[in-house]
């Protein structure tokens, strides 16, 4: 992709001075001691070890052994047709992998089907907000997390962001599906596959000439990203005054707690309540966020892709997407991501979006919704549909290489 002038300026100027590595060391330097208590976790107890130095003791050796033995292509072939939560694992998997997967696919003892079903209903009724917040909002946040931006950039998927986003959206849609954790759903399958992808990345990335620093995707990194999904979405919906019943709020947290467990986050770090989640988010997010050259480039690619999905014509769509990204992620993150300010669209979205929410929630009549809100609504729908379709064409599989160039 052609580097835009803006991006060149950003990467060679103010941000270039930071450089990816110094951004990383700043992040490390600013991290305070881990004080979040395991009493606030779903486990209710734990050693309270700093999750920066904990990875995935069960999945990591298995993925490393698969890669070292050259088993991954065959494993990916066998797992291609493993699609449903209740489906037996395919025959022929290496024994260490099979043993791991049989354990990893079990729902935790604290999983509550009633809450999972309620969460599915909530995900359906609030689908538009959640897809926008998790897809576009979460996307913009993730590129402003230096360790995540660098991991994504220098891993295989960094060279093909369309495929990468399509694959990531598979899990997003799986969590939001009505049958997410039902026998014929696929959330367990995709979470376990993702856990293996992350374990493979921990083995592969340290071999990249571009990678300097600790093994990627620590438990803390997982928590940081997790908070950019449910915690961020819940905070935003509350900010937008979306009416949410207490049981819906508890259920929505629960489906993400179960997903965190299946992704390999240890129970002693998974927040038990929204109060615990908010406290943990406030502890882990700020010191782990900031600008990188790679994050700016990834943001630009993501916003270009988003603009291409909306059939509004290029003149409208990229500025609209910039404004949408800024509105969802907030000014601080948008500035770190190098999202340009849009003098027309930024204020338009700020006024139009809250009225659209009020209309959708039955709080105001249609004539009070400004015209521009429908353009945003339509753009959001097209974006969601596009990734829903793209996600159907591909599957999550274990990488064997880093970014090739
Ligand atoms: C892959 C989701 C945390 C870096 C994936 C995939 C999904 C996913 C669904 C598979 C898609 C693919 O293969 O491209 C999540 C979720 C997370 C999380 C839900 C937390 C709740 C993280 C963190 C990092 C990270 C914290 C880095 C700091 C990566 C990388 C890949 C990946 C590098 C593989 C890219 C590739 O080789 O193509 N993640 N992720 N993820 N994730 Fe995560």
């Amino acid at each position: 992709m052609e580097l835009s002038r803006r991006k060149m300026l950003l990467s060679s100027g103010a941000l270039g001075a930071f450089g990816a590595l110094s951004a990383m060391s700043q992040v490390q330097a600013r991290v305070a001691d881990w004080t979040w208590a395991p009493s606030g976790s779903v486990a209710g107890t734990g050693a309270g070890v700093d999750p920066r130095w904990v990875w995935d003791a069960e999945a990591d050796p298995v993925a490393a052994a698969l890669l070292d033995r050259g088993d991954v292509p065959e494993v990916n072939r066998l797992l291609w047709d493993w699609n449903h939560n209740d489906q037996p694992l395919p025959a022929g998997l290496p024994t260490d992998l099979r043993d791991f997967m049989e354990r990893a696919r079990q729902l935790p003892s604290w999983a509550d089907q009633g809450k999972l079903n309620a969460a599915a209903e909530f995900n359906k009724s609030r689908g538009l907000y959640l897809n926008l917040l998790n897809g576009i909002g979460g996307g913009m946040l993730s590129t402003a997390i230096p360790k995540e931006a660098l991991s994504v950039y220098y891993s295989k998927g960094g060279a093909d962001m369309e495929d990468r986003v399509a694959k990531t959206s598979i899990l997003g849609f799986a969590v939001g599906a009505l049958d997410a954790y039902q026998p014929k759903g696929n959330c367990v399958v995709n979470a376990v596959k993702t856990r293996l992808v992350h374990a493979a990345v921990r083995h592969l990335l340290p071999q990249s000439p571009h990678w300097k620093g600790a093994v990627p995707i620590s438990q803390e990194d997982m928590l940081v990203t997790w908070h950019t999904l449910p915690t961020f979405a819940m905070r935003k919906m509350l900010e937008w005054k979306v009416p949410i019943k207490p049981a819906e709020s508890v259920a929505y947290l629960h489906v993400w707690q179960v997903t965190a467990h299946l992704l390999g986050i240890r129970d002693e770090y998974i927040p038990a309540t929204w109060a615990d989640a908010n406290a943990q988010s406030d502890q882990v997010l700020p010191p782990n966020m900031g600008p990188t050259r790679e994050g700016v480039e990834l943001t630009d690619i993501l916003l270009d892709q988003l603009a291409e999905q909306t059939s509004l014509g290029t003149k409208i769509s990229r500025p609209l997407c910039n404004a949408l990204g800024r509105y969802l992620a907030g000014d601080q993150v948008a500035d770190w991501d190098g999202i340009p300010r849009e003098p027309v669209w930024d204020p338009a979205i700020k006024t139009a979006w809250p009225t659209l929410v009020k209309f959708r929630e039955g709080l105001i009549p249609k004539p009070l919704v400004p015209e521009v809100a429908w353009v945003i609504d339509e753009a959001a729908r097209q974006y969601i549909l596009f990734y829903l379709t793209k996600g159907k064409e591909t599957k999550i599989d274990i990488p064997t290489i880093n970014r090739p160039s």
Side-chain angles (χ1 to χ4, degrees):
M1 169 190 274
E2 194 73 17
L3 277 181
S4 68
R5 205 175 92 83
R6 175 183 65 79
K7 206 166 35 166
M8 289 295 280
L9 284 174
L10 276 168
S11 29
S12 59
L15 279 178
F18 268 93
L21 271 180
S22 64
M24 285 267 280
S25 36
Q26 293 212 348
V27 164
Q28 316 252 324
R30 276 183 282 132
V31 172
D33 285 342
W34 177 252
T35 52
W36 192 81
S39 53
S41 71
V42 292
T45 169
V49 176
D50 187 336
R52 249 184 310 168
W53 311 114
V54 184
W55 289 269
D56 187 338
E58 285 174 80
D60 293 351
V62 175
L66 291 178
L67 284 162
D68 289 345
R69 296 197 301 255
D71 284 348
V72 173
E74 176 62 5
V75 163
N76 281 335
R77 195 185 66 77
L78 291 168
L79 290 181
W80 186 264
D81 292 319
W82 187 55
N83 292 317
H84 301 294
N85 297 338
D86 70 347
Q87 199 180 337
L89 288 173
L93 291 176
T95 319
D96 51 353
L97 177 65
R98 164 175 299 272
D99 291 348
F100 163 73
M101 290 182 79
E102 289 297 4
R103 283 194 309 277
R105 70 186 294 189
Q106 302 305 319
L107 291 187
S109 57
W110 43 266
D112 177 331
Q113 274 302 335
K115 284 185 190 165
L116 292 174
N117 293 339
E121 286 301 330
F122 179 72
N123 276 308
K124 189 176 138 198
S125 65
R126 302 293 191 259
L128 185 82
Y129 309 139
L130 290 170
N131 280 310
L132 267 188
L133 287 165
N134 290 339
I136 304 175
M140 298 297 102
L141 258 61
S142 71
T143 49
I145 299 168
K147 285 194 271 175
E148 181 161 4
L150 295 176
S151 301
V152 169
Y153 192 92
Y154 292 111
S155 66
K156 180 178 165 230
D160 184 353
M161 286 301 282
E162 197 164 303
D163 181 60
R164 162 79 223 212
V165 175
K167 284 180 170 161
T168 308
S169 68
I170 293 176
L171 184 72
F173 290 124
V175 179
L178 265 181
D179 59 0
Y181 284 102
Q182 298 291 324
K184 296 295 169 218
N186 61 48
C187 213
V188 173
V189 166
N190 285 309
V192 171
K193 285 184 177 176
T194 302
R195 186 172 174 187
L196 283 165
V197 172
H198 287 150
V201 169
R202 292 188 192 103
H203 189 64
L204 291 169
L205 258 187
Q207 300 170 35
S208 161
H210 302 285
W211 191 257
K212 316 264 183 320
V215 172
I217 325 186
S218 66
Q219 291 277 314
E220 184 191 57
D221 296 333
M222 288 297 292
L223 294 171
V224 168
T225 303
W226 189 87
H227 287 298
T228 66
L229 297 165
T231 315
F232 170 71
M234 182 52 83
R235 281 183 162 172
K236 279 284 170 191
M237 286 186 295
L238 293 175
E239 190 187 306
W240 295 342
K241 303 200 170 48
V242 175
I244 300 172
K245 298 190 185 92
E248 289 178 321
S249 166
V250 167
Y252 177 64
L253 174 62
H254 191 68
V255 73
W256 276 101
Q257 289 168 325
V258 171
T259 305
H261 175 97
L262 288 164
L263 285 168
I265 301 182
R266 297 174 61 88
D267 286 359
E268 69 198 79
Y269 298 124
I270 302 174
T273 65
W274 280 117
D276 298 312
N278 289 331
Q280 192 187 65
S281 178
D282 291 343
Q283 186 176 349
V284 295
L285 247 64
N288 278 295
M289 297 193 74
T292 54
R293 182 187 64 76
E294 288 82 351
V296 169
E297 192 179 323
L298 291 176
T299 307
D300 191 45
I301 296 173
L302 290 174
L303 286 171
D304 257 357
Q305 277 173 18
L306 179 60
E308 274 166 29
Q309 302 337 312
T310 53
S311 53
L312 299 167
T314 39
K315 271 219 180 100
I316 302 186
S317 67
R318 181 60 205 255
L320 168 66
C321 292
N322 288 339
L324 193 57
R326 177 172 289 275
Y327 180 67
L328 293 170
D331 281 333
Q332 169 83 90
V333 169
D335 290 345
W336 283 335
D337 278 342
I339 303 176
R341 288 193 183 259
E342 297 294 344
V344 176
W345 285 104
D346 284 342
I349 290 190
K350 244 186 207 154
T351 28
W353 183 256
T355 53
L356 183 67
V357 171
K358 280 198 192 110
F359 168 72
R360 292 181 69 89
E361 300 303 326
L363 300 173
I364 55 166
K366 201 168 179 178
L368 291 184
V369 182
E371 205 51 39
V372 64
W374 302 112
V375 180
I376 308 167
D377 193 58
E378 184 51 27
R381 270 170 216 288
Q382 287 177 11
Y383 160 80
I384 294 162
L385 192 69
F386 178 77
Y387 280 110
L388 206 54
T389 320
K390 288 288 285 180
K392 290 212 171 88
E393 292 164 9
T394 184
K395 297 196 185 177
I396 296 173
D397 58 11
I398 306 171
T400 53
I401 54 167
N402 289 316
R403 184 188 177 103
S405 57

